[in-house]
Amino acid sequence: MTAPLYRSDPYLREAAALVTAPADGGVVLSAPLFYPRGGGQPGDGGRLVWEGGEMAVTDTVKGEAGTGLLLAPEGAVLPPVGTELIQQLDWDRRYGHMRVHTALHLLSVVIPLPVSGGAIAAGKGRLDFDMPEAPEDKEALEAALNDLIARDLPVTEDWITEAELDADPGLVKTMSVAPPRGAGHVRLVRIGAGAAQVDLQPCGGTHVARTGEIGPVRIGKIEKKGRRNRRVTVLLGA
């Protein structure tokens, strides 16, 4: 299997692949375009098309050895191993996930507290913070978040070894989700560059290339979810 296409080019909407392994209820592909559910980000959907057939992809999850398993509707006809096919991504849904995911990275900048959980959808997302008291000025947080977005900062990636991450544990903001490990190296997502860098943290998800693509956002509910936990929701669109 080649490197995941969703990581090398998250803007790719269509790509060829081979069915490489049998699977119960789905297929495994040689060059996966579909992001597998993880880290609070949903799995991608779309469809597969091959000579004489097609299959809807309802979800993508991590299969054995971390391979992406593309799930089919119940009763669907699956392409056999060795089939050459075209992957067609549900792009609008994926792009929504990319915008929301990047916005949540910026939310962790304007609320610099440990993150205890999170979830992403195509139009909104949320982070849970170790925050005993609710913020006094939600409007100021929203303005600070939109200011970072409007700066149109570049979003790039770096890689470090697991040993380097262990030596700098402050890079990890999440308390409940550990960075993807096992390959000897860890992917870092950087927002901004040089003196204009605002965020750097381990992440395996998909993001937009520049923060301006997120567009204006609104901070929704700030809910109490425990003695020390506050859930902050971000919605795309002013």
Side-chain angles (χ1 to χ4, degrees):
M1 185 177 72
T2 61
L5 298 175
Y6 60 80
R7 182 159 296 152
S8 60
D9 184 1
Y11 288 84
L12 192 61
R13 308 183 189 194
E14 186 172 296
L18 286 172
V19 180
T20 59
D24 184 17
V27 297
V28 177
L29 301 181
S30 60
L33 178 64
F34 293 76
Y35 177 82
R37 189 193 316 162
Q41 181 171 330
D44 284 330
R47 66 176 186 160
L48 306 177
V49 180
W50 63 94
E51 185 175 356
E54 65 176 71
M55 182 195 100
V57 178
T58 58
D59 197 1
T60 307
V61 298
K62 290 180 181 177
E64 294 182 6
T67 57
L69 174 60
L70 283 62
L71 301 181
E74 185 175 353
V77 176
L78 307 182
V81 173
T83 299
E84 298 180 359
L85 50 73
I86 299 296
Q87 308 171 76
Q88 296 178 343
L89 185 67
D90 182 344
W91 169 247
D92 290 342
R93 184 168 178 267
R94 155 74 79 77
Y95 192 52
H97 294 160
M98 290 164 60
R99 293 168 64 206
V100 170
H101 200 154
T102 312
L104 293 182
H105 278 236
L106 293 177
L107 181 64
S108 74
V109 174
V110 300
I111 303 179
L113 296 172
V115 175
S116 55
I120 295 163
K124 67 178 181 178
R126 53 93 173 167
L127 289 180
D128 296 348
F129 292 94
D130 183 8
M131 183 192 303
E133 301 297 332
E136 294 183 0
D137 193 339
K138 187 174 81 169
E139 290 72 21
L141 289 176
E142 183 174 290
L145 180 56
N146 279 301
D147 178 67
L148 286 175
I149 291 169
R151 288 168 62 184
D152 197 29
L153 298 166
V155 182
T156 57
E157 67 175 36
D158 288 315
W159 291 85
I160 60 173
T161 65
E162 293 180 358
E164 288 173 317
L165 180 63
D166 292 337
D168 192 2
L171 288 171
V172 181
K173 295 185 176 184
T174 54
M175 301 165 60
S176 59
V177 179
R181 287 176 175 261
H185 55 274
V186 176
R187 177 178 181 248
L188 299 179
V189 172
R190 182 189 308 274
I191 301 181
Q197 178 180 306
V198 298
D199 191 49
L200 180 67
Q201 59 178 293
C203 187
T206 60
H207 305 81
V208 293
R210 304 193 68 91
T211 61
E213 295 181 51
I214 299 168
V217 299
R218 181 166 52 90
I219 291 183
K221 293 181 179 180
I222 299 180
E223 304 172 89
K224 185 175 182 179
K225 291 295 182 179
R227 185 173 61 88
R228 295 183 56 86
N229 195 67
R230 293 294 186 281
R231 176 167 294 174
V232 182
T233 300
V234 172
L235 300 97
L236 297 182

